[in-house]
Amino acid sequence: MRILITNDDGINAPGLVVLEKIAAELAGPAGEVWVVAPAFEQSGVAHCINYTHPTMIAELGPRRFAAEGTPADCVLAGLFHVMKDAPPDLVLSGVNRGNNSGENVLYSGTVGAAMEAALHGVKAIALSQFMSPLNARRSDPYEAAAVHAPPLLRRLLSEGIWDEADYRLFYNVNFPGLPAADVKGTRVAAQGFRRYSAFSLEPHVSPTGRQFLWIKSGEQGRPTLPGTDVTANVEGYVSVTPLRCDLTAHERLDELRIAME
Ligand code: MN
């Protein structure tokens, strides 16, 4: 298997080292792992692409590239430049520092990279590691992802649903903020919504008297509805969420047609 990996925490992020190991295990000795990752952190850029600026790309080593762009740019760079002669069978994005469950999905550059791959018909999985007091200060905060991702991804690739729709399915996987041995299992979960935990602002005045606004996130451990991702994660389970880029609320179309047509 030929695997393209990227992330949104940047080419030097510890989570990318974890993902390189996971991908190498999946690819096997006959496979290949290619890295095209952002030169600098791109957390929170979602599915953004550099549309009005060119993207500088540097070859750092064998099958290893840094691009001065977003995670989605990196996927485009991988598909149309670095791996253009033999495209990847799979794109993996992560392992993100922090969860991409709930509303975080909408802001996540990690998920944005997987979206871009899915739009090009390539199988894609985003991986994120929940940070909690139970793992964040340990020597290996990514242990849950490192240990549980290889068998889980193998199963997802063989038993999961991979359709050929225009807006095809891709996957969002979040590992709970626990040591690997304490992970209870896997839950297929919908994208949740953390109530009263949206992003907000904190104003600061700079030394030169300018007003700056810092975006800050809400409480991450607030559970979502049963059957959804954050709840699975805080209860100790890996969440697996099938996603699709089609944002249409299909279940309301008929009702709206009756009202509007
Ligand atoms: Mn990130």
Side-chain angles (χ1 to χ4, degrees):
M1 191 161 37
R2 293 161 56 76
I3 304 178
L4 169 64
I5 70 170
T6 190
N7 72 351
D8 78 358
D9 294 335
I11 188 97
N12 293 314
L16 189 66
V17 180
V18 177
L19 185 58
E20 285 184 76
K21 287 186 191 141
I22 294 166
E25 247 189 278
L26 282 180
E32 292 177 3
V33 177
W34 294 72
V35 180
V36 183
F40 299 99
E41 181 169 352
Q42 300 286 316
S43 292
V45 305
H47 190 205
C48 177
I49 51 167
N50 261 331
Y51 194 62
T52 56
H53 303 283
T55 297
M56 186 163 76
I57 186 162
E59 188 167 3
L60 304 182
R63 297 177 189 162
R64 188 174 182 82
F65 296 78
E68 211 174 17
T70 68
D73 288 331
C74 289
V75 170
L76 291 173
L79 298 183
F80 295 103
H81 180 65
V82 171
M83 300 180 77
K84 67 176 188 298
D85 297 328
D89 306 301
L90 174 67
V91 170
L92 299 176
S93 179
V95 176
N96 188 62
R97 179 173 181 85
N99 75 87
N100 280 312
S101 306
E103 338 70 80
N104 290 4
V105 171
L106 302 172
Y107 302 93
S108 166
T110 307
V111 174
M115 276 186 182
E116 189 58 33
L119 289 175
H120 293 280
V122 181
K123 289 179 180 175
I125 306 169
L127 301 102
S128 304
Q129 174 65 64
F130 219 110
M131 291 296 160
S132 86
L134 298 173
N135 72 321
R137 284 183 285 278
R138 290 170 63 95
S139 61
D140 184 5
Y142 295 88
E143 189 198 30
V147 169
H148 295 286
L152 176 69
L153 296 195
R154 235 177 246 126
R155 244 184 103 198
L156 190 53
L157 288 168
S158 63
E159 314 295 326
I161 299 161
W162 298 95
D163 67 13
E164 306 240 316
D166 285 345
Y167 289 109
R168 66 182 57 197
L169 284 176
F170 60 102
Y171 286 91
N172 185 29
V173 177
N174 282 273
F175 297 88
L178 296 170
D182 295 339
V183 174
K184 291 181 184 162
T186 301
R187 289 272 180 270
V188 171
Q191 181 183 337
F193 184 84
R194 297 177 181 87
R195 283 176 202 281
Y196 317 113
S197 189
F199 282 97
S200 60
L201 272 182
E202 195 168 303
H204 281 274
V205 176
S206 78
T208 54
R210 301 288 185 114
Q211 179 77 68
F212 284 82
L213 305 172
W214 287 99
I215 303 282
K216 62 174 187 180
S217 57
E219 165 58 41
Q220 297 293 293
R222 198 184 287 270
T224 48
L225 291 175
T228 64
D229 48 13
V230 183
T231 292
N233 300 151
V234 299
E235 288 179 352
Y237 293 88
V238 183
S239 63
V240 177
T241 305
L243 299 178
R244 220 188 264 294
C245 290
D246 179 359
L247 301 181
T248 310
H250 286 276
E251 78 283 6
R252 307 312 291 265
L253 276 178
D254 286 345
E255 186 188 343
L256 190 65
R257 282 192 181 113
I258 290 164
M260 300 292 294
E261 289 183 357

